[in-house]
Amino acid sequence: MIKLKGIKKFYKTKTGLVNALNGIDLEVNKGDIFGVIGYSGAGKSTLIRLINMLEKPSEGRINVDGSEMSTLSKKALRDARKQIGMIFQHFNLLWSRNVKDNIAFPLEIAGVPKRERERKVKELIHLVGLEGRESAYPSQLSGGQKQRVGIARALANDPKVLLCDEATSALDPKTTEAILDLLVDINQKLGLTIILITHEMHVIKKICHQVAVIDNGIIVEEGEVLDVFRSPQMAITKDFVKQVTSDSESEEAVKLIKQTYPSATIARLTFAGEAANRPVISELLKQEAIDVNLLEGNLSQTQRGALGTLTLLLDGEAPKVKDAITFVENQGVVVEVIQHASEPVS
Amino acid sequence: MLQNLFPNADWAEIWKAIIDTLYMTAISVVATFILGIILGLLLFVTAKGNMFENVVIYKCVSAIVNIFRSIPFIILIILLIPFTMIIVGTMLGSTAALPALIIGSAPFYARLVEIALREIDKGVIEAAQAMGANKWQIIWKVLLPESMPALVSGITVTSIALVGFTAMAGAIGAGGLGTLAYMDGYQRGNRDVTLLSTIFILIIVFILQIIGDYMTKRLDKR
């Protein structure tokens, strides 16, 4: 659906050339929710703006649904943009128009007749759950409601692609959840391809099918969300994964346990998809004669299955502990040993 | 009682003077509003980083605006006499004051328009571009409606300055309350007529301010 090939983007500034993007290759399949995650300044904002040509690439090709974006005439580009909806961190609604008229705005631009516009606006207000607020002005709406207007507006011309530029970053956690649910809902109902950029791994975990990690203008890691969570390769990816699989409080707890039992083995198990649903631990206990102490656990749902982590304290004879770890690994669980048992002093 | 307070007032004259002042103000406000928005838009869209970025046009318009904004109004009227003679055919009367009034205030208003447009959130313009809006649609559907409260409060300020300009124009024969205060009041030593003219000018100014404030408030949905 969307193909980026060899994308580079430089900016000229007073102090010289700044490389925002250093060669990006990316492919997004139809109907997928594709997340791009990176810290601020990594180039993700530039990346998403290239897809609808709000920024022009310095090098490389962008293909959206078969049309080569950089070669389009101005008129053809405007028509292509009507097929690509976009929502923004700060909503970017027209404050001089009420909810209805904000949603009708892209339809007016596309020259849709008044009657048809009214019908479509009604349908969209229902889709995003804003019934009863049609005549409110943006200043009278909450952040979540504003983003709902933004989403309705982005969907007005029945686009095939929706670009989300940090769409939930200005919202509180509860509202974020609701907006993410709405995005999944429209992805499924309308078969829309969604590309979103964010700095919150939580957003990726909750709604994305595919993820790309961007750092310093290049994609350092890419893949199925579950795979990336199960075995992140790069340090930056591990940092992002940590955002959702462990909170600082449990890190503290593990630290304390390490001090209390300096001679035990402590391992973090990451279950993803199929493995999360199997009784791995009970099988382990039947198999190996060791003691298992559960230190910390966490289970969450992604679009492609469950994702869980367990931090265990394994106590027993060294070879048996080793066997136990091998056994767990063979069940398709990723094991990271945080602390190795020290040799018993005897 | 009024006869005692203002013994030299000729009420028919005063009434005619009020009408002349209102006529000059109304026509020049409307013309300034249109011309100022055109110039202000031109300044905004040709400025660096905007839709029709064009250094040459920007610099030219900017220079013209600055020059006409800097010439003291009373001198501008005199400088414009040949121009006025060509388009109006006379240099006396209310209509003859209009070219100078409009040329004197449109550049001032143009700057206010430019400032108002610059206040618009760039993200909103970007959103419109992302929807496939062309440049005219952005001007008509985004730039003008989103800046309308500031455009209206700007024209309120400008129209009050314009009432002052009509009085100055009055001193060299444009008619209206300025002429009344200067010719009948100052030159004939009728202080009561000067005072009366001042009172009516103040009333006009207050009414303009009230209308402007009301409209700005109505338009502003932020």
Side-chain angles (χ1 to χ4, degrees):
Chain A
M1 187 73 183
I2 297 168
K3 273 187 208 149
L4 304 184
K5 217 166 163 51
I7 296 293
K8 290 187 180 176
K9 173 78 186 178
F10 324 115
Y11 290 103
K12 279 196 197 105
T13 64
K14 279 177 194 148
T15 51
L17 225 52
V18 173
N19 289 19
L21 296 174
N22 285 319
I24 300 263
D25 293 303
L26 205 66
E27 203 171 330
V28 179
N29 296 324
K30 196 170 159 54
D32 263 0
I33 303 183
F34 192 102
V36 177
I37 189 164
Y39 292 116
S40 45
K44 55 190 191 308
S45 239
T46 309
L47 180 63
I48 201 158
R49 280 178 168 64
L50 283 165
I51 296 170
N52 59 1
M53 287 276 139
L54 285 175
E55 304 247 16
K56 312 264 182 277
S58 310
E59 265 177 48
R61 298 208 326 246
I62 298 157
N63 191 301
V64 178
D65 198 28
S67 44
E68 202 54 50
M69 297 299 279
S70 45
T71 61
L72 295 177
S73 68
K74 282 184 178 173
K75 169 90 176 60
L77 175 62
R78 284 200 301 271
D79 287 338
R81 278 175 173 168
K82 286 167 191 156
Q83 294 300 309
I84 306 174
M86 188 168 192
I87 57 175
F88 304 86
Q89 177 174 7
H90 298 296
F91 325 119
N92 295 349
L93 303 178
L94 292 141
W95 61 255
S96 58
R97 289 173 172 238
N98 62 19
V99 169
K100 255 192 345 259
D101 294 343
N102 260 296
I103 299 172
F105 183 57
L107 297 165
E108 281 174 31
I109 285 172
V112 176
K114 189 158 194 278
R115 183 162 267 191
E116 174 66 15
R117 280 204 307 259
E118 279 167 5
R119 190 191 62 75
K120 188 78 198 177
V121 167
K122 215 168 174 185
E123 190 183 303
L124 287 161
I125 283 180
H126 176 72
L127 178 73
V128 299
L130 278 174
E131 287 103 335
R133 302 297 277 153
E134 291 90 342
S135 304
Y137 284 88
S139 62
Q140 300 165 317
L141 300 176
S142 69
Q145 288 172 327
K146 282 182 199 161
Q147 197 56 290
R148 283 172 194 271
V149 178
I151 292 171
R153 183 176 73 172
L155 298 177
N157 282 320
D158 298 315
K160 300 185 185 101
V161 176
L162 178 65
L163 307 177
C164 309
D165 178 11
E166 296 271 8
T168 58
S169 300
L171 303 174
D172 63 64
K174 200 171 162 227
T175 315
T176 296
E177 293 298 299
I179 293 295
L180 293 179
D181 286 336
L182 176 61
L183 288 177
V184 173
D185 191 44
I186 57 178
N187 165 255
Q188 286 165 353
K189 260 192 206 152
L190 312 174
L192 199 66
T193 308
I194 299 179
I195 299 176
L196 60 88
I197 62 165
T198 182
H199 59 267
E200 295 170 314
M201 201 57 174
H202 166 77
V203 172
I204 302 281
K205 185 196 77 182
K206 190 172 158 86
I207 73 166
C208 293
H209 306 133
Q210 307 276 331
V211 61
V213 182
I214 185 169
D215 190 26
N216 272 325
I218 52 168
I219 289 176
V220 294
E221 195 161 349
E222 192 191 340
E224 284 273 332
V225 167
L226 267 187
D227 293 338
V228 171
F229 271 93
R230 184 161 40 205
S231 50
Q233 304 299 315
M234 309 299 287
I236 182 176
T237 316
K238 286 178 184 159
D239 275 355
F240 279 125
V241 169
K242 248 188 200 160
Q243 277 184 14
V244 287
T245 54
S246 66
D247 52 72
S248 56
E249 218 169 286
S250 60
E251 294 275 292
E252 281 298 310
V254 169
K255 221 181 197 171
L256 205 70
I257 297 281
K258 274 163 90 171
Q259 283 162 7
T260 320
Y261 304 95
S263 66
T265 301
I266 298 176
R268 188 199 301 278
L269 281 54
T270 306
F271 304 82
E274 179 70 2
N277 299 327
R278 287 218 307 269
V280 176
I281 299 300
S282 91
E283 278 168 26
L284 168 70
L285 290 174
K286 278 180 208 155
Q287 202 85 18
E288 309 286 342
I290 59 164
D291 285 326
V292 173
N293 192 359
L294 173 60
L295 301 182
E296 183 253 317
N298 171 319
L299 182 70
S300 51
Q301 209 60 35
T302 73
Q303 289 299 309
R304 296 273 161 91
L307 179 78
T309 60
L310 267 185
T311 309
L312 299 177
L313 186 141
L314 306 169
D315 206 6
E317 290 168 35
K320 285 194 174 161
V321 170
K322 213 172 168 191
D323 283 352
I325 290 172
T326 316
F327 171 79
V328 174
E329 274 175 339
N330 286 341
Q331 306 295 309
V333 175
V334 176
V335 180
E336 181 198 355
V337 178
I338 302 174
Q339 175 180 288
H340 288 279
S342 49
E343 290 301 313
V345 189
S346 56
Chain B
M1 193 190 74
L2 277 174
Q3 208 57 50
N4 294 335
L5 270 174
F6 306 104
N8 303 308
D10 176 343
W11 292 98
E13 277 290 306
I14 290 169
W15 183 244
K16 192 181 168 300
I18 292 171
I19 296 296
D20 279 351
T21 294
L22 288 177
Y23 164 79
M24 285 187 281
T25 308
I27 304 276
S28 54
V29 164
V30 171
T32 299
F33 187 66
I34 294 165
L35 195 61
I37 285 180
I38 292 170
L39 288 172
L41 268 173
L42 207 55
L43 284 170
F44 177 77
V45 299
T46 58
K48 204 167 180 311
N50 285 338
M51 303 190 284
F52 296 94
E53 184 175 335
N54 187 321
V55 186
V56 179
I57 295 180
Y58 182 83
K59 289 252 163 85
C60 285
V61 177
S62 187
I64 293 169
V65 163
N66 283 345
I67 289 168
F68 281 97
R69 216 158 52 115
S70 310
I71 302 172
F73 184 68
I74 197 88
I75 298 172
L76 185 70
I77 302 176
I78 298 164
L79 285 175
L80 285 178
I81 286 174
F83 175 71
T84 306
M85 290 296 286
I86 292 168
I87 60 168
V88 188
T90 170
M91 51 170 283
L92 289 172
S94 305
T95 306
L98 291 176
L101 287 170
I102 295 160
I103 292 170
S105 58
F108 171 73
Y109 184 53
R111 284 292 179 201
L112 296 182
V113 171
E114 190 194 4
I115 293 166
L117 294 172
R118 268 201 239 135
E119 290 292 307
I120 297 172
D121 185 358
K122 287 274 183 295
V124 177
I125 299 170
E126 191 184 59
Q129 283 169 338
M131 286 172 213
N134 64 33
K135 287 164 178 172
W136 289 109
Q137 286 171 324
I138 289 177
I139 289 174
W140 282 110
K141 290 180 183 288
V142 181
L143 296 182
L144 293 179
E146 289 286 295
S147 62
M148 200 45 87
L151 296 184
V152 170
S153 62
I155 198 67
T156 307
V157 172
T158 310
S159 66
I160 287 167
L162 265 168
V163 174
F165 286 174
T166 65
M168 269 189 256
I172 59 161
L177 291 164
T179 302
L180 192 72
Y182 184 70
M183 301 290 187
D184 290 7
Y186 174 70
Q187 295 208 327
R188 293 190 198 157
N190 296 330
R191 286 210 180 143
D192 56 334
V193 177
T194 309
L195 184 64
L196 211 52
S197 305
T198 312
I199 290 169
F200 282 115
I201 286 176
L202 286 178
I203 291 171
I204 292 172
V205 167
F206 285 146
I207 291 172
L208 285 172
Q209 186 69 54
I210 289 166
I211 295 172
D213 287 349
Y214 175 76
M215 283 176 62
T216 306
K217 213 173 146 201
R218 275 289 302 270
L219 287 165
D220 201 342
K221 301 287 198 293
R222 275 173 291 197

